[in-house]
Amino acid sequence: MLFDFILKQTKPDVVKDSMVVRGRQILLAVIHNHRARRYLLRLRPDGSVRLTIPRRGSVIEGRRFAERNVEWLARQLERLSAHPVKPKQWLVGTEILFRGESVKLEAGVNGESGNIQFGGEAVKVNDHEANLRPAIERHLWRMAAKELPPRVLEYARLHQLPVRRISVRNQKSRWGSCSRRGTISLNWRLIQTPAFVRDYILIHEIMHLQEMNHSSRFWREVERACPDYETAERWLKQHSTLLK
Ligand SMILES: [Zn+2]
């Protein structure tokens, strides 16, 4: 029928194939695009590859083109695994960082949808919520608000520095801050970092209570209190996508 024919013409024709890149099998989606002028390869955020075949092109020629560019693909894949795309939505099966480890969000007992579990935690969510992220983040924030302040007070006592107020907040671009008035603000996402990284940030902010700058004297004090702080700084740099 004419209607069917038109539908077929406008719908892109995708053929699932695969190719090997540095010993790894990669999903290859082959698409014929009559408007494309040349063969195109594109790595998608999920790690699969799209190969576009132009008008008058062939799949065989397309595969040759992909093979010729296999090194470029390998480099793109490397880059993708070094900087994984941060998923905007959290769903059952999504892996999130929790106490420095990657944990999977799982449906509760018998796969019931109102109950999500991860890393020993259980969170109630509304059935109609497709994206679990807001509910899980609220839960993590509550945990952080309970856990972080006592730890700050412990370190403050240890170093005999007076802290006036502690708040656990939803900062977008920093892990913590310290005001001249003695208020320490911490990012709830510290619950997502390993313990040694969390402790480094707490110590860093506490040391600002006596040294409101990043002078060499400040760093000497930090190093004395937290000898492997550079490892923590490196971890934070590698996981900078936790903050926007
Ligand atoms: Zn600082």
Side-chain angles (χ1 to χ4, degrees):
M1 281 168 74
L2 187 61
F3 188 63
D4 277 335
F5 177 73
I6 290 166
L7 264 181
K8 269 193 192 128
Q9 282 289 299
T10 51
K11 224 171 140 192
D13 181 19
V14 182
V15 178
K16 293 263 159 67
D17 200 348
S18 70
M19 68 182 289
V20 176
V21 179
R22 284 198 192 153
R24 242 174 89 192
Q25 186 123 6
I26 301 294
L27 189 72
L28 188 69
V30 183
I31 293 167
H32 292 267
N33 184 343
H34 294 279
R35 279 181 300 178
R37 298 231 185 109
R38 55 194 180 88
Y39 293 96
L40 289 169
L41 270 180
R42 195 167 82 87
L43 182 67
R44 294 191 295 187
D46 64 1
S48 70
V49 172
R50 190 156 91 177
L51 168 64
T52 304
I53 312 280
R55 198 216 307 239
R56 292 200 195 95
S58 71
V59 176
I60 292 172
E61 201 42 58
R63 285 214 57 120
R64 275 191 205 127
F65 172 76
E67 294 300 338
R68 277 203 301 277
N69 288 285
V70 75
E71 269 312 302
W72 175 84
L73 268 180
R75 281 198 303 276
Q76 297 289 308
L77 276 166
E78 243 165 47
R79 237 207 250 153
L80 185 68
S81 55
H83 303 280
V85 177
K86 191 165 146 189
K88 289 201 175 83
Q89 294 221 335
W90 289 2
L91 312 165
V92 167
T94 298
E95 293 201 3
I96 65 164
L97 265 184
F98 180 56
R99 302 198 195 282
E101 278 175 42
S102 189
V103 296
K104 204 177 260 182
L105 300 182
E106 285 171 298
V109 195
N110 303 325
E112 60 176 312
S113 56
N115 196 349
I116 298 300
Q117 305 194 324
F118 65 93
E121 294 295 312
V123 182
K124 285 229 171 305
V125 293
N126 288 331
D127 269 344
H128 61 265
E129 276 179 302
N131 180 14
L132 303 172
R133 190 166 190 165
I136 305 279
E137 287 194 339
R138 270 197 306 276
H139 180 84
L140 292 174
W141 191 347
R142 267 199 303 273
M143 287 183 82
K146 221 184 277 171
E147 288 181 21
L148 298 178
R151 198 130 184 103
V152 171
L153 291 175
E154 220 176 282
Y155 279 119
R157 253 198 312 273
L158 187 68
H159 297 284
Q160 298 182 314
L161 291 166
V163 53
R164 280 246 178 84
R165 230 185 107 217
I166 304 160
S167 64
V168 177
R169 295 166 54 194
N170 186 33
Q171 297 102 317
K172 295 285 184 230
S173 59
R174 61 207 321 199
W175 288 103
S177 61
C178 178
S179 80
R180 287 188 186 280
R181 289 191 188 147
T183 297
I184 287 179
S185 301
L186 299 165
N187 196 317
W188 65 259
R189 292 172 187 82
L190 285 168
I191 198 100
Q192 294 192 269
T193 72
F196 80 95
V197 173
R198 172 204 62 198
D199 286 347
Y200 157 63
I201 293 292
L202 304 190
I203 289 167
H204 181 119
E205 300 311 334
I206 284 166
M207 289 306 161
H208 276 317
L209 290 169
Q210 59 178 0
E211 209 58 62
M212 285 302 291
N213 51 54
H214 290 117
S215 62
S216 48
R217 210 163 82 192
F218 168 80
W219 286 113
R220 262 202 311 279
E221 293 298 324
V222 169
E223 189 170 14
R224 204 184 331 227
C226 181
D228 66 344
Y229 80 94
E230 280 175 319
T231 317
E233 278 283 357
R234 219 164 346 189
W235 190 97
L236 290 169
K237 215 164 270 164
Q238 280 161 357
H239 296 82
S240 59
T241 50
L242 273 177
L243 299 182
K244 271 158 220 159

